[in-house]
Amino acid sequence: MFFASDNTSGVHPKILEALSQANDGFAPAYGADSYTSALQERLRDIFDAPDARIYPMTSGTGANAALLAAMTPPWGVIYCHKTAHIEMDERGAAGFYAGGAKLKALPSKDSRIDPNALRAEIMADANGNDIHAMPPAAVSLTNITEFGELYSPVQIAELANVSGLPLHFDGARFANAIAASKISPWEMTRELSTLSLGATKTGAMAAEAAVLFDPALVEAFESQRMRGGHNLSKARFVSAQILAWLENDLWLELATHANAMAARLAAGLVDLGGSLSYSVDGNMVFATLPRAMHARAKAKGAIYHLWGTDTALIGDPETPQMARFVASWSTTPAHVDALLAAFEP
Amino acid sequence: MFFASDNTSGVHPKILEALSQANDGFAPAYGADSYTSALQERLRDIFDAPDARIYPMTSGTGANAALLAAMTPPWGVIYCHKTAHIEMDERGAAGFYAGGAKLKALPSKDSRIDPNALRAEIMADANGNDIHAMPPAAVSLTNITEFGELYSPVQIAELANVSGLPLHFDGARFANAIAASKISPWEMTRELSTLSLGATKTGAMAAEAAVLFDPALVEAFESQRMRGGHNLSKARFVSAQILAWLENDLWLELATHANAMAARLAAGLVDLGGSLSYSVDGNMVFATLPRAMHARAKAKGAIYHLWGTDTALIGDPETPQMARFVASWSTTPAHVDALLAAFEP
Amino acid sequence: MFFASDNTSGVHPKILEALSQANDGFAPAYGADSYTSALQERLRDIFDAPDARIYPMTSGTGANAALLAAMTPPWGVIYCHKTAHIEMDERGAAGFYAGGAKLKALPSKDSRIDPNALRAEIMADANGNDIHAMPPAAVSLTNITEFGELYSPVQIAELANVSGLPLHFDGARFANAIAASKISPWEMTRELSTLSLGATKTGAMAAEAAVLFDPALVEAFESQRMRGGHNLSKARFVSAQILAWLENDLWLELATHANAMAARLAAGLVDLGGSLSYSVDGNMVFATLPRAMHARAKAKGAIYHLWGTDTALIGDPETPQMARFVASWSTTPAHVDALLAAFEP
Amino acid sequence: MFFASDNTSGVHPKILEALSQANDGFAPAYGADSYTSALQERLRDIFDAPDARIYPMTSGTGANAALLAAMTPPWGVIYCHKTAHIEMDERGAAGFYAGGAKLKALPSKDSRIDPNALRAEIMADANGNDIHAMPPAAVSLTNITEFGELYSPVQIAELANVSGLPLHFDGARFANAIAASKISPWEMTRELSTLSLGATKTGAMAAEAAVLFDPALVEAFESQRMRGGHNLSKARFVSAQILAWLENDLWLELATHANAMAARLAAGLVDLGGSLSYSVDGNMVFATLPRAMHARAKAKGAIYHLWGTDTALIGDPETPQMARFVASWSTTPAHVDALLAAFEP
């Protein structure tokens, strides 16, 4: 009953096998190998972006930080949602890489950036182009969001229009977003300057592709990636993972499955009397259940995160408490059903 | 009719004269002079802080940034109000000096930090001591605030208690705060780790004293001050300004005067039908007046800032628009009355 | 004929197999898994360091930078050799992570730090403890060095004594150093504060262990690693690589083999009339040969780096030109002999 | 007998008087005042640089660091002499402002950068434009150097040509250089991108002009200056100092005098048997004298710096020891003669 994170899942067998196949004698280091070239061609094709530059990496945090640092001067503002991974979970990586740039974290009624709030903040910050203020530099979106919600292309275009700023996508669960939306990767990304395309959470071992749609960012990004320690020597083994992940749309198959497992879980939780805190668009479920039900499931070995401050589950057993449940490519219907059963008396 | 900022005022004659007196031949550089020693003794006495360390500087931004950088690791969070100078007006200086640390800017119903909001943010950030999150490190207050409001010692103590964190004071208008509260400097500062004591806005030329109540911060602060370029060679001329400013309570005399001019102006604006947006505790007035009145005053040469986005004053002349008016040590009743007259038809 | 770098080699089969074995369902992320625990115990045992803290990483540059940043304040000096990887090949990673700290690169007659030069620099920098200067903070050694030379424990102890500073080891080729010296890992490291233990160049895919012998550095290191993007989610797959690498002393077997291949190559080059520029202690050979011989070998497909500026091989064919040859765990005697043959007419 | 530094001198009466004159009521803050405009016009004229941008500051370290940070990416290399102030005396300010950029400090037989050494370093660093290396970005010269030696325009042009990089001048003693060379400020600076023009050491209180000959650097420089805390509110009082300093060539008069005092001292020291360690081109004398003579002068109250490590003057009284003597605008012939007399028995 592992629902703590998609990070706790293992590696899909086809991706493991690709590592063996890539282990074919000597190959040039630092991305000059044929796997990395092939990956670049493959992703250019998928995104219909013939000038895009692709860099294999092993860390989503590293990819986000190096990309954002290429998109802002050290005195710029990067707008994101209050719940963004770059704001909450990367110990200040973006501000560190970008030499002191500011993340401005916007609240909203859900987990997506509100266009009106974004417009208002940017107008206030840009006011008069005053040397005392930090000027607007970029916007970072997460799709699906950290609370499992999807941005549509229309919503993305609106944020691009409203802001007038280059967009970065944290795509740690990009596959889940594409699987959920059933649109093409191109349609999802046509407004973007950069994308962190994460394969790790969806079946790879440690593999992210940093995608630069804007070639003007190459020198800054490559420099930040290098001095961040993210230009790996045996890069072929990262690229090979992503190639296998893309082959025959394995990535979408795995994401579609994970999304379905989350939907099954969400339906079951509602049946049990739980309420959903956010829409379940991808592979994550945020649901509120009485403390007593959490206590029961935890006692039976269910592993997931209680969200917020009431992790001790002390007091009135009927008080509701929100929790996060994440399904992965390796979550089975049986896993889901076992978890649902654990909530029952 | 100069009400744009207390920065536009000149230097009090006694402070100018002190510069001449300090110009007595050779003196050791970098603060090893007798003026700087005397300043340290004087401020230790005023703050009843025998272990405090005092550093003359010429920049409030420099003092704030070097102090805050000594109070946080590069991955820490500094809490401040949404309107704080360090958040709005220093182009990211604190995050720069502190190597990527985050300013978390809190909203409130006025211009002071709300203790409950502060507690909630700190609890959320400290939750579980997770390596992914940025841990709480310090709180920065401004007294009087950027909107002219006073914190009382009781309010300051509450923020200290609620946060459990070391406190920094941006004291750009510290003299106005002491003059307004009529309490001793000691009583105002007894909860603090550090203070930027600003004399520039209250009659000096360019003089701030960085005060370290916590001697454990000395090495980090001195290093940040030095590499920030704020360890001035002919430091005697900075210290001499502050000594003259303190002598015979000139600082309080000047601040009391500026506060009185603001009160006079506030009363006059209310008489004219304006409404006050914040309490007028010190030398700043934020008041809302119809666009037509602003247009009239501006046309007659009044100099002050319209606040927010409606600086063009276009449209319905009766629509109210907020403005900021700052009185200084050199503002006279005649200046105030001339400004008030300028609003009349 | 791949002698450009040990980075161009693949992954040893036992390490690949270990990845499959580690792929056993769900496991806690971010190093809370059993593989990472086992790795910590194993390395504590190998280094006879029961309090050491071990962190799996995928990047030597990342490990070096995060470790060094934990050992110096932003205004400190880190001493290294002029040829060190941190000085020459990491695009300023250490200075970046450490917030502006300085690498001071020392020349010497070989590729090891000269104790007298180190003492002289430290004395000069520490002179008077002046706030204007950057104070000495740490020393970084590379063993074997970037030019293939070994430091003995006596030499390491001398640098520790002479400097009085904490020592960092760049152990990208630590296995080659242990294999060459035939001493225990403990004996090699007993003077160290920190070690980057690199497995990648010696048969792993992407695996380094950051070793903190000094537990006082834990908070700073963990923070720098996290905000650098080097706290990987599926850490078990990094730890599993290193565990397999250590098992039954596979690491020493592979390093001993690589060292032997370098010795075979060095002997052959001398037989061909080449001269060795540095002592061949590990798996790297720096040798000088006439331009004509290089041209011949290159034309036959030999892959290795000409060192310095004469990479065009233009002019008098008898002029000698230095080159670097690196043997790896997968280099065979036949590879060596083929390369040697390629130099002959 | 104050010869420790020109920093220990006071302020010239005409500059003090200019402060009083500038104290004429209200004036716009942050450099929007008429004094700062006039300063910009005056310096554009002096340097025959109609597009130059001028910024008054109070700190040479701040000016150097903000200028250099505008001239290099965070991963670039700035070349300077081993004895440069930015390398030795600013606690890493340039690397801090520039986000981790490297100062590469070159040795030479005197205190000037050797063109051949510069060319060699740049060629090595630029080799192959490798992403692993830090690329060459800028060169910083000090004129007169930290050891009192002058660069001629021919020498400066040679460094510009050899390097192909933008040049920065640390002009802390620029007046002494112009006075010594008897060439125009234009001729001295025509190869420069930026200049820190220091008035403090030559009679001002705290006044430096940052000069941007290259307008492309404006945004980066203004941002770095602002977030460094060097955009002073009452800027008119800094600009007024420099205007008075320039008026009727007061700056050259004061520098010529200081240089003459140094020459008088140098001649006297030679007469006493001392030997000069560097050429005495400006207002600094580096001379070697027997320990016994130093001990004598120190006992009689002479204040100057023994240079290097033998500051205790222990051992054989005839052993020579180098010292630094700095003359200032306020040094008189009587001061010099008193110092010379102090060395005699």
Side-chain angles (χ1 to χ4, degrees), chain B residues 2 7-11 16 23 26-27 30 58-59 89 91 93 96-97 200 204 223 227-230 233-234 236, chain D residues 2 7-11 16 23 26-27 30 58-59 91 93 96-97 200 204 223 226-230 233-234 236 330:
Chain B
F2 277 83
N7 284 331
T8 64
S9 66
V11 181
L16 256 188
N23 196 26
F26 297 91
Y30 297 115
T58 53
S59 159
D89 296 303
R91 210 166 179 89
F96 164 44
Y97 275 71
T200 308
S223 296
R227 71 182 194 141
H230 292 288
S233 55
K234 298 186 176 176
R236 58 171 147 161
Chain D
F2 277 82
N7 283 333
T8 64
S9 66
V11 181
L16 256 188
N23 196 27
F26 297 92
Y30 297 114
T58 54
S59 159
R91 208 167 181 89
F96 163 45
Y97 275 70
T200 308
S223 297
M226 181 68 230
R227 72 183 193 140
H230 292 288
S233 54
K234 298 184 176 177
R236 58 171 147 162
S330 64

Side-chain angles (χ1 to χ4, degrees), chain A residues 219 223 227, chain C residues 91-92, chain D residues 68 71-79 94-95 98-104 125 133-138 165:
Chain A
E219 195 213 332
S223 297
R227 70 182 195 141
Chain C
R91 210 166 180 90
Chain D
L68 289 168
M71 297 170 70
T72 181
W75 46 84
V77 180
I78 300 161
Y79 300 87
K102 181 198 290 289
L103 289 193
K104 190 165 269 192
D125 290 342
M134 302 182 80
L165 295 173

Side-chain angles (χ1 to χ4, degrees), chain A residues 6 75 80 104 127 149 160 166 221 237 251 254 257 265 307 315:
Chain A
D6 29 15
W75 44 86
C80 64
K104 189 164 270 193
N127 188 17
E149 297 183 311
F221 171 75
F237 295 104
W251 64 307
L254 299 181
H257 172 80
L265 177 58
W307 215 249

Side-chain angles (χ1 to χ4, degrees), chain C residues 320-340:
Chain C
Q321 164 65 21
M322 189 166 81
R324 185 185 82 163
F325 307 90
V326 190
S328 80
W329 69 272
S330 63
T331 302
T332 63
H335 291 144
V336 173
D337 297 345
L339 174 61
L340 290 170

Side-chain angles (χ1 to χ4, degrees), chain D residues 218-229:
Chain D
V218 163
E219 195 213 333
F221 172 75
E222 289 191 353
S223 297
Q224 296 286 10
R225 183 174 79 128
M226 181 68 230
R227 72 183 193 140

